[in-house]
Amino acid sequence: MSAHYPVIVIGGGITGIGILRDLSMRGVKALLVEQKDLCTGTSSHFHGLLHSGARYAVSDIEAAEECYKENLILKEIAPHAIERTEGFFISIDEDDPAYVDRWVAGCSKARIPTEQVDIKTALTLEPNLADSIRAVYRVPDSAVDGFRLIWQNAYSAQSYGGAFRTYAAVTAIHSENGAVKGVEITNILTGEVEQIGCDYLVNAAGSWVASVARLADIPVGVAPDRGLLIAFNHRFTERVINRLHPSGDADIFVPHGAITILGTTSVKVDDPADTTVSSKEALYMLDIGEKLIPELKSYRILRGFAGTRPLFSSGGGRSATRNFVVADHEKDGLKGFISIAGGKLTTYRLMAEKTTDLVCKKMGITEKCRTHIEPLVKKIDKKIYKKALAFFPKLGVDLSISRQGDNFHNVLERILADHKKCALLCECELVTRAEFEEVLSRSGNYPIEHLELTLGTLSDVRRRTRIGMGTCQGNFCAYRGVGAIAETKGAPDTELSAILNKFIEERWNGIRPVLWGVQLKEAELSRGIYQTLLNSAGEPYEERS
Amino acid sequence: MSKQTPDNCTACTTCTAYCPISKATRNFRGPKMTGPAFERFRYLHKGEEDALSYCSNCKNCDIACPNGVPISVFNMLAKAETSQGLRLFARDYIVAHGDLFYSFLRYFPSFLVNFGMLNPLTRIFLDRIGVARRAALPAFCDKPFLKRLNAVKQPQTDEKVIFFPGCYVNMYDPEAGLALVKLLNRLNVEVVAPEGLVCCGVPLISSGFYKECKKNAEKNLKILSKYRGAPIITVCPSCALMIKHDYAELFPEIAAKDIKIVDPSEFILEHQNLKNLEFEEESRKLSYHSPCHQRALGIGKPALELMKLLPSTAVCDLDAGCCGISGSYGFKKEKYRISLSVGKNLFDSLKAADTELALTECGTCKVQITANTRIKTVHPLSLLAERLI
């Protein structure tokens, strides 16, 4: 065993990171391992809705109550990851009017505040809604960004001594005398294998919980359930818009920074990594979404993407409980192994608290949870903010702070040292060269010499900054990004081409299934820049003397 | 027509490559950024950035855009949301409301008014509130266009055109308007100038006075829509562009159909009585500058075609970009230098072409060109009317 940690957490999604932060805040030394980069699974492949709980008010009152409580807590501790948009629940002609009463009763039972809004007011507030809507209720829904939430948790955990390793897949679980001894970690980029010891192992792998538990021959009933999301180029509602009916497909719109996300569908899949997106499914969603937003099909789609819900149930699908279960596998014969299954992003903090409570109880640690009172990001110094305003538009400062949190002052320092670094590397999401370099210096703990190690680099930066996630989908920031990598890290050309191609290919994956309208023009521009101008496909050419 | 979305922008940046302001100053982030790119974030209501005020509304971005994105409209609508503080507000109010000041200054003799407005003391005061001291301001005319039109004895015919004088012709350059009247009368067309028309609103919207601009649009459209079917002619390309395109994009809720704005040069060239017009030769060396808003109309350069009616007279088409003044933009102290740097290419081209008389349709282009090249500049119609036999 090359190292030993009291606790190892498996899974770099919001649950795992939440647990890492909670453990670290309670003084427990812990290491988190993630098979890819942080926030590559369901935590970034969902609609970005911070539930008020109203969606579960009829089907699952317990989940509804939990959601509302956590909604209130997260708005306080994670203001930089959340937009307090509020939400509308809207009933249309084809919806069962009787359901409205049941829903209102459910909300009041779960103590979720609702307020009926008259149609005229609703249409003034949300002019893109269909005129034919029949009833509108206001709820405290909000929009939450999974990326920001994870990175703010991760940086906060780091400041408390928590550690995480990415591209480190758990390939074996070691035990001795019925107790966990450690894990085997395989670096998925290099193939290097490492043994790390631990006393407690927390399986927070989300949709992958069952496959991780299988390494210890323990069955856990988590069934991945795929949902498709569509990201639109602009924000056409100010609020979260839900259909007021029993939860169904394509009935949630979440405005999110500069974009809007429409979700979702529900398809049972065997492989948690099955995030296939089909044009047919996308068109099916637009057909439904159009009933609330009549001009929906005229809006430009940026991309389609899918994630898998980690549903804890034997049945699965939308009827499954959205509650979570903390399973102590001591009863299954493996001491020190704990799995957390089910749940949803809105309740991640509570899930982390309950799991950490159990770990601490076993370790005999009495420190109480503080994640419900301590904000993820410390208050940004007013002086820093003021200084930054000289270099960015106000909007750019706010966005950069929300992305980089406590590290924002490093971004500013880079600009103060070299004013040119305030140039926008990504113009669609307003990311400066300084922010890019700051993130680059923190991501990929890997030396650039190994080609295969660097392939993830641009996408790693993307998840921390949103480069490549706006209108141009990487057309301009990708080549600027590799330019910045070349200058700061000094990588050889062949590696840079590989980084560039990998990034562009990833962007294309989400564009292909929705390749029509203006997005098709954008794709042609991309083809012109990368395949023609930069010959990214590597067509051979003859040098002429 | 519903609100414009930024969806058609592919971020190709062609607009920024064609933006004369972006070339002249680093303070402006370019039309792509302040237009469609920021538009996506405007729904967040996080406030506007100051750089927006650098957009001069010259519309070269709109001309360049391969996807038909109304970039300048995004900028103008967003400007309405910004505030530059009280001092600049006063300045902007003055440069945007020339018509208002004229409405009471016209009771004084023009030489007195012009002395009052243009003397060094006033200029020092104006400079203090942000009107560049060195910027050439236009001088008021003796008698406004509308008064002088009443004195013209026009043929009584069935063919009438509706004339939209615009502030520039009415207050500073009635000759250009009267030139049109003279030419059209010769074609046996009567020019009608309806009562109650106000400033088209270009200077208002360019300085962020959205509500007033909308009021003006409403007033003008109400009057103009009474003359449904009749061609509406203005000799100012900015007024034409505003009425023809921008009203509908800025204020989709009050857009009026059936308003037919016709370019004066096109109208003359296509008229059945064109043969009535005979001209004498012009011996001076002529150069033509096509104003940005004329090019934004998307009808080419009909004035150049019209000038071919002058016998054995060659006109050099400068094709040298924006003059930099953009209405009142170049009068503003912090924009004055930018305005000169934008116009430099045009000034140099004019001098290089050995021009004796410059021609351009736009009133403030004329002021800018003359001030910076000492070359006399007139409306093409003014020259034609002068040479009419």
Side-chain angles (χ1 to χ4, degrees):
Chain A
M1 301 262 169
S2 62
H4 184 277
Y5 288 84
V7 182
I8 287 181
V9 181
I10 304 171
I14 189 60
T15 319
I17 282 290
I19 293 169
L20 180 71
R21 178 171 187 249
D22 203 340
L23 284 168
S24 307
M25 283 170 68
R26 296 196 216 185
V28 180
K29 199 149 176 49
L31 170 74
L32 180 143
V33 289
E34 158 59 42
Q35 59 176 345
K36 290 187 186 166
D37 187 23
L38 298 188
C39 208
T40 44
T42 316
S43 302
S44 59
H45 292 68
F46 76 121
H47 40 47
L49 169 58
L50 183 71
H51 280 285
S52 60
R55 192 170 167 83
Y56 306 117
V58 174
S59 62
D60 194 339
I61 196 94
E62 203 185 321
E65 277 180 272
E66 242 169 47
C67 277
Y68 182 53
K69 278 185 205 152
E70 286 302 306
N71 172 300
L72 294 179
I73 293 171
L74 292 187
K75 279 177 186 166
E76 292 306 318
I77 67 153
H80 294 297
I82 292 170
E83 280 176 49
R84 295 181 173 227
T85 55
E86 82 175 15
F88 275 173
F89 269 77
I90 296 172
S91 170
I92 63 172
D93 272 338
E94 65 185 68
D95 296 332
D96 175 15
Y99 183 80
V100 177
D101 300 331
R102 281 163 58 206
W103 178 82
V104 173
C107 285
S108 101
K109 207 172 153 199
R111 293 196 204 90
I112 300 165
T114 59
E115 179 201 349
Q116 186 158 16
V117 181
D118 70 276
I119 306 288
K120 220 180 131 194
T121 314
L123 289 174
T124 317
L125 292 170
E126 296 293 354
N128 292 322
L129 283 174
D131 295 339
S132 58
I133 53 173
R134 225 177 34 197
V136 182
Y137 287 83
R138 173 179 276 147
V139 298
D141 278 349
S142 277
V144 59
D145 179 31
F147 294 109
R148 287 175 172 86
L149 195 62
I150 283 200
W151 285 104
Q152 287 162 15
N153 265 289
Y155 291 143
S156 169
Q158 272 183 328
S159 73
Y160 281 102
F164 58 85
R165 301 222 343 221
T166 53
Y167 299 105
V170 173
T171 38
I173 295 173
H174 303 304
S175 60
E176 221 176 83
N177 307 325
V180 167
K181 281 313 280 180
V183 289
E184 178 188 271
I185 306 289
T186 304
N187 184 319
I188 64 159
L189 300 175
T190 58
E192 259 170 68
V193 177
E194 200 182 333
Q195 314 296 331
I196 304 179
C198 67
D199 305 327
Y200 295 91
L201 183 62
V202 178
N203 174 12
S207 291
W208 285 261
V209 157
S211 29
V212 169
R214 217 172 293 133
L215 294 172
D217 285 326
I218 292 171
V220 178
V222 165
D225 182 74
R226 190 182 68 211
L228 174 64
L229 292 311
I230 298 176
F232 292 86
N233 178 53
H234 79 278
R235 206 174 154 118
F236 44 80
T237 66
E238 300 242 358
R239 305 166 172 69
V240 176
I241 305 291
N242 301 268
R243 271 278 285 283
L244 210 178
H245 67 175
S247 299
D249 293 337
D251 56 356
I252 306 178
F253 291 91
V254 186
H256 223 340
I259 66 170
T260 308
I261 296 178
L262 164 63
T264 163
T265 53
S266 172
V267 180
K268 204 164 180 287
V269 289
D270 298 326
D271 180 3
D274 179 357
T275 50
T276 323
V277 178
S278 75
S279 303
K280 204 178 143 197
E281 211 177 333
L283 288 167
Y284 159 74
M285 282 192 27
L286 293 179
D287 281 338
I288 302 174
E290 203 178 28
K291 292 174 185 172
L292 278 179
I293 310 280
E295 294 204 30
L296 188 64
K297 284 180 180 167
S298 74
Y299 299 148
R300 168 169 174 190
I301 296 175
L302 288 178
R303 57 196 291 113
F305 57 103
T308 50
R309 302 175 183 85
L311 294 185
F312 180 75
S313 138
S314 40
R318 283 216 175 80
S319 58
T321 176
R322 303 312 308 274
N323 280 334
F324 62 90
V325 175
V326 181
D328 181 353
H329 295 303
E330 196 171 332
K331 64 178 186 335
D332 301 313
L334 187 57
K335 254 175 91 175
F337 188 38
I338 294 163
S339 286
I340 165 97
K344 55 194 140 322
L345 186 126
T346 302
T347 54
Y348 90 90
R349 193 210 59 83
L350 185 66
M351 292 156 71
E353 178 181 339
K354 296 285 180 214
T355 312
T356 311
D357 281 351
L358 180 63
V359 174
C360 287
K361 196 174 136 203
K362 284 174 174 289
M363 294 176 82
I365 291 168
T366 51
E367 196 80 27
K368 287 268 174 297
C369 176
R370 298 200 316 278
T371 55
H372 57 297
I373 41 175
E374 197 175 304
L376 295 178
V377 175
K378 294 183 198 85
K379 227 175 165 162
I380 298 292
D381 191 345
K382 268 195 185 140
K383 273 189 209 146
I384 291 185
Y385 192 89
K386 232 178 150 182
K387 257 192 205 166
L389 280 179
F391 300 99
F392 306 77
K394 182 172 178 299
L395 177 67
V397 180
D398 290 345
L399 288 174
S400 190
I401 289 176
S402 77
R403 290 187 294 246
Q404 302 311 325
D406 294 335
N407 295 322
F408 177 73
H409 67 272
N410 293 333
V411 176
L412 184 62
E413 241 141 65
R414 282 170 190 270
I415 292 175
L416 290 173
D418 180 358
H419 289 193
K420 279 194 205 122
K421 299 272 154 101
C422 76
L424 291 176
L425 186 139
C426 163
E427 292 172 308
C428 303
E429 294 288 339
L430 312 184
V431 182
T432 56
R433 168 87 185 250
E435 186 175 339
F436 182 93
E437 286 182 8
E438 169 62 21
V439 166
L440 195 65
S441 73
R442 305 175 148 267
S443 66
N445 314 311
Y446 307 102
I448 197 115
E449 298 87 63
H450 303 289
L451 169 67
E452 63 273 31
L453 298 187
T454 62
L455 289 182
T457 317
L458 263 189
S459 287
D460 285 5
V461 179
R462 172 179 70 80
R463 281 183 281 273
R464 292 147 177 84
T465 59
R466 291 191 69 81
I467 64 158
M469 292 165 83
T471 302
C472 82
Q473 288 289 303
N475 280 353
F476 293 92
C477 53
Y479 67 77
R480 290 177 188 162
V482 286
I485 291 175
E487 271 185 36
T488 41
K489 290 201 167 181
D493 293 354
T494 45
E495 290 184 15
L496 294 173
S497 307
I499 292 172
L500 190 65
N501 286 339
K502 173 102 190 297
F503 184 71
I504 289 295
E505 204 46 56
E506 271 183 22
R507 298 285 82 200
W508 271 78
N509 275 340
I511 297 169
R512 270 188 209 103
V514 289
L515 197 51
W516 56 77
V518 186
Q519 196 53 32
L520 184 58
K521 281 191 193 173
E522 190 75 68
E524 273 301 290
L525 181 61
S526 170
R527 215 167 57 86
I529 294 174
Y530 290 98
Q531 292 198 332
T532 311
L533 198 62
L534 300 177
N535 189 20
S536 64
E539 292 295 327
Y541 71 100
E542 284 169 37
E543 234 170 284
R544 289 175 195 190
S545 51
Chain B
M1 200 168 136
S2 56
K3 194 176 180 311
Q4 297 274 0
T5 75
D7 280 0
N8 280 333
C9 172
T10 57
C12 71
T13 321
T14 308
C15 54
T16 303
Y18 277 84
C19 170
I21 307 292
S22 302
K23 274 194 202 108
T25 174
R26 299 281 294 172
N27 289 335
F28 185 45
R29 282 181 191 274
K32 178 184 91 174
M33 289 309 299
T34 56
F38 280 169
E39 190 68 14
R40 296 174 68 233
F41 291 98
R42 288 195 176 112
Y43 303 93
L44 285 170
H45 310 291
K46 286 228 174 186
E48 204 48 71
E49 75 155 326
D50 301 341
L52 187 66
S53 78
Y54 283 95
C55 171
S56 75
N57 195 24
C58 71
K59 296 185 186 285
N60 280 292
C61 47
D62 297 358
I63 301 171
C65 179
N67 293 314
V69 180
I71 305 165
S72 66
V73 168
F74 286 139
N75 285 344
M76 290 307 108
L77 290 176
K79 244 188 203 181
E81 306 290 318
T82 57
S83 158
Q84 299 186 72
L86 200 61
R87 190 176 65 90
L88 290 184
F89 175 82
R91 188 274 315 273
D92 285 356
Y93 193 86
I94 289 173
V95 298
H97 291 77
D99 56 335
L100 183 74
F101 290 101
Y102 188 63
S103 66
F104 54 82
L105 289 174
R106 72 193 159 121
Y107 297 109
F108 301 93
S110 66
F111 72 88
L112 207 64
V113 172
N114 286 329
F115 175 75
M117 292 296 291
L118 306 176
N119 77 69
L121 264 171
T122 316
R123 291 310 299 264
I124 287 170
F125 166 74
L126 286 175
D127 189 79
R128 289 291 286 276
I129 64 163
V131 179
R133 182 149 42 142
R134 300 172 70 96
L137 297 179
F140 289 114
C141 62
D142 293 336
K143 210 171 175 190
F145 169 80
L146 288 171
K147 273 202 176 154
R148 289 181 63 179
L149 179 68
N150 288 339
V152 176
K153 209 167 163 303
Q154 294 201 63
Q156 302 293 308
T157 67
D158 284 343
E159 192 181 358
K160 296 183 194 332
V161 298
I162 309 306
F163 186 63
F164 184 90
C167 308
Y168 200 85
V169 162
N170 199 35
M171 303 184 317
Y172 307 106
D173 190 13
E175 304 301 334
L178 293 165
L180 175 79
V181 175
K182 188 173 171 191
L183 293 164
L184 292 192
N185 285 172
R186 185 65 71 86
L187 296 173
N188 208 25
V189 177
E190 189 185 340
V191 177
V192 179
E195 291 277 315
L197 289 173
V198 291
C199 168
C200 71
V202 167
L204 292 169
I205 199 74
S206 297
S207 285
F209 297 94
Y210 173 85
K211 277 188 194 152
E212 286 174 76
C213 181
K214 189 173 170 184
K215 260 188 209 159
N216 282 18
E218 276 168 341
K219 274 187 199 162
N220 288 333
L221 288 175
K222 200 175 158 199
I223 294 169
L224 294 177
S225 52
K226 276 191 216 152
Y227 300 93
R228 219 154 257 176
I232 295 161
I233 291 189
T234 171
V235 296
C236 170
S238 299
C239 296
L241 187 65
M242 189 72 176
I243 299 168
K244 194 173 172 185
H245 289 295
D246 291 9
Y247 278 175
E249 284 178 346
L250 291 166
F251 323 110
E253 61 278 19
I254 60 161
K257 286 173 198 134
D258 309 331
I259 284 192
K260 201 169 97 191
I261 284 268
V262 182
D263 183 87
S265 301
E266 275 189 344
F267 182 85
I268 296 170
L269 283 168
E270 284 165 15
H271 201 273
Q272 51 178 0
N273 298 339
L274 181 63
K275 58 179 188 326
N276 291 4
L277 299 180
E278 274 186 73
F279 300 97
E280 56 189 25
E281 202 179 311
E282 167 61 56
S283 56
R284 284 170 291 183
K285 273 197 140 177
L286 305 177
S287 289
Y288 170 71
H289 160 65
S290 185
C292 300
H293 286 184
Q294 177 71 36
R295 287 183 290 114
L297 279 165
I299 54 169
K301 299 171 179 174
L304 267 183
E305 290 302 306
L306 190 64
M307 297 314 289
K308 287 182 183 159
L309 295 178
L310 289 175
S312 56
T313 307
V315 182
C316 164
D317 179 14
L318 291 166
D319 201 11
C322 180
C323 75
I325 191 81
S326 288
S328 52
Y329 186 81
F331 302 153
K332 298 177 182 176
K333 197 172 173 181
E334 74 281 13
K335 316 278 164 50
Y336 175 63
R337 290 203 165 280
I338 297 171
S339 142
L340 294 189
S341 139
V342 168
K344 190 170 181 303
N345 188 37
L346 174 65
F347 310 148
D348 292 347
S349 305
L350 260 170
K351 289 176 197 155
D354 235 349
T355 308
E356 288 166 275
L357 182 68
L359 303 169
T360 190
E361 289 102 325
C362 170
T364 48
C365 288
K366 276 191 276 186
V367 175
Q368 174 88 336
I369 291 171
T370 307
N372 291 287
T373 60
R374 308 263 159 232
I375 295 169
K376 190 180 176 201
T377 312
V378 296
H379 196 288
L381 295 179
S382 299
L383 176 67
L384 282 179
E386 201 184 301
R387 291 277 158 263
L388 192 63
I389 303 170

